[in-house]
Amino acid sequence: MSASVLKVLNQPGWNYKFSYDGVSILAPTKRDATHLAQSYGDALSETAAKINGKVRIGWRHCKRPIEFYGWMASQRPPTPAETAERILPLEGEVFCSQLRLPVGLLKRMIAAAESERPVSIVRKDNQKQIIINRRMSDMLQTPPEIATQRVMNRFWLPEDLAQLERRLRQESRFTMTYRGGLNEQTWAILTTQFESFEVDGIWYRQGTTLATPQLIPIPPEACAQA
């Protein structure tokens, strides 16, 4: 472990130990744990790679520790076992229909699982909704197996979708209010924060619902394009 990390861990209130699967760090508070992860993420990933294990940062009453793996340092794609090891503790809080998960998308998926708001991620090249969290599945009143296979054009009005695409080209993050389909039978007024991002040459948009949907009758334009 690097000298800079050890300097932090040797301060009062910190503790750490080595085990068969890596290093476990106990931080004084969640804020301290987050600061350590943000400041020394590369060093912690390198440590995980050197010991062929993982580095886990927890704190008092912590339910989901911050974890670093060796593949984060090498930038190689995680193995299926490593991906499963990171996702399984999320206890069904996030769902994905895409088999290959590059590191950038995996991190987004984990963040979606931990979000207190409904979150979805859509591939921009085919408009397929590939990731949703449990809160989004509940809001859509749709099983995740179905929601993560949807092509989202069908749940947008043409003028609203055109405005979304135009803003995505001009802004990386913005909030938009529009009419959209929660499912085939239910439409609502939605207020969503959109963010455009790229991973391994593929562009995605993430939508985070900011307000409770206001149910409305299905617009005639939606029926016309069905």
Side-chain angles (χ1 to χ4, degrees):
M1 200 175 302
S2 71
S4 55
V5 173
L6 286 173
K7 184 177 181 180
V8 175
L9 300 186
N10 287 326
Q11 295 180 89
W14 291 82
N15 200 357
Y16 65 96
K17 64 179 181 179
F18 291 88
S19 64
Y20 70 95
D21 64 345
V23 182
S24 296
I25 298 172
L26 182 63
T29 66
K30 181 179 180 180
R31 182 176 181 179
D32 291 319
T34 302
H35 184 265
L36 178 70
Q38 292 175 339
S39 301
Y40 301 102
D42 291 343
L44 295 170
S45 299
E46 290 172 3
T47 297
K50 289 177 181 177
I51 64 176
N52 195 28
K54 61 185 175 183
V55 176
R56 180 187 293 113
I57 310 173
W59 54 92
R60 186 175 175 81
H61 304 309
C62 168
K63 294 183 179 179
R64 292 177 181 161
I66 303 169
E67 294 180 337
F68 291 86
Y69 296 84
W71 55 261
M72 293 179 178
S74 64
Q75 290 301 305
R76 65 172 174 81
T79 66
E82 289 168 334
T83 300
E85 185 178 17
R86 187 62 185 95
I87 294 298
L88 285 175
L90 298 177
E91 299 174 351
E93 293 298 321
V94 65
F95 309 91
C96 179
S97 61
Q98 183 164 298
L99 295 179
R100 180 179 177 273
L101 282 176
V103 173
L105 201 56
L106 177 60
K107 291 178 178 179
R108 291 267 179 174
M109 188 174 177
I110 294 168
E114 296 173 345
S115 175
E116 297 180 356
R117 297 185 180 276
V119 176
S120 71
I121 295 178
V122 175
R123 277 185 62 140
K124 294 175 69 175
D125 57 355
N126 58 15
Q127 293 293 318
K128 186 177 178 181
Q129 182 171 255
I130 61 167
I131 293 172
I132 62 170
N133 63 3
R134 169 63 69 182
R135 288 175 175 82
M136 179 61 76
S137 178
D138 292 344
M139 188 187 86
L140 299 178
Q141 302 173 24
T142 304
E145 297 83 2
I146 296 175
T148 54
Q149 295 290 338
R150 281 178 171 171
V151 175
M152 295 307 295
N153 293 26
R154 296 175 49 234
F155 299 91
W156 282 79
L157 297 181
E159 63 270 25
D160 288 337
L161 184 58
Q163 180 185 356
L164 173 69
E165 295 294 345
R166 184 173 60 252
R167 294 192 67 178
L168 286 170
R169 290 192 294 268
Q170 298 170 348
E171 308 169 64
S172 60
R173 181 181 295 180
F174 57 89
T175 298
M176 179 174 167
T177 298
Y178 58 98
R179 293 175 292 172
L182 300 180
N183 51 59
E184 285 79 359
Q185 294 80 36
T186 308
W187 278 62
I189 298 175
L190 300 165
T191 298
T192 303
Q193 181 187 77
F194 290 102
E195 180 181 359
S196 180
F197 66 95
E198 179 264 337
V199 178
D200 289 359
I202 298 176
W203 283 90
Y204 303 85
R205 72 168 184 261
Q206 177 171 312
T208 303
T209 304
L210 302 181
T212 301
Q214 302 175 39
L215 300 185
I216 60 173
I218 299 177
E221 308 96 301
C223 298
Q225 67 172 344

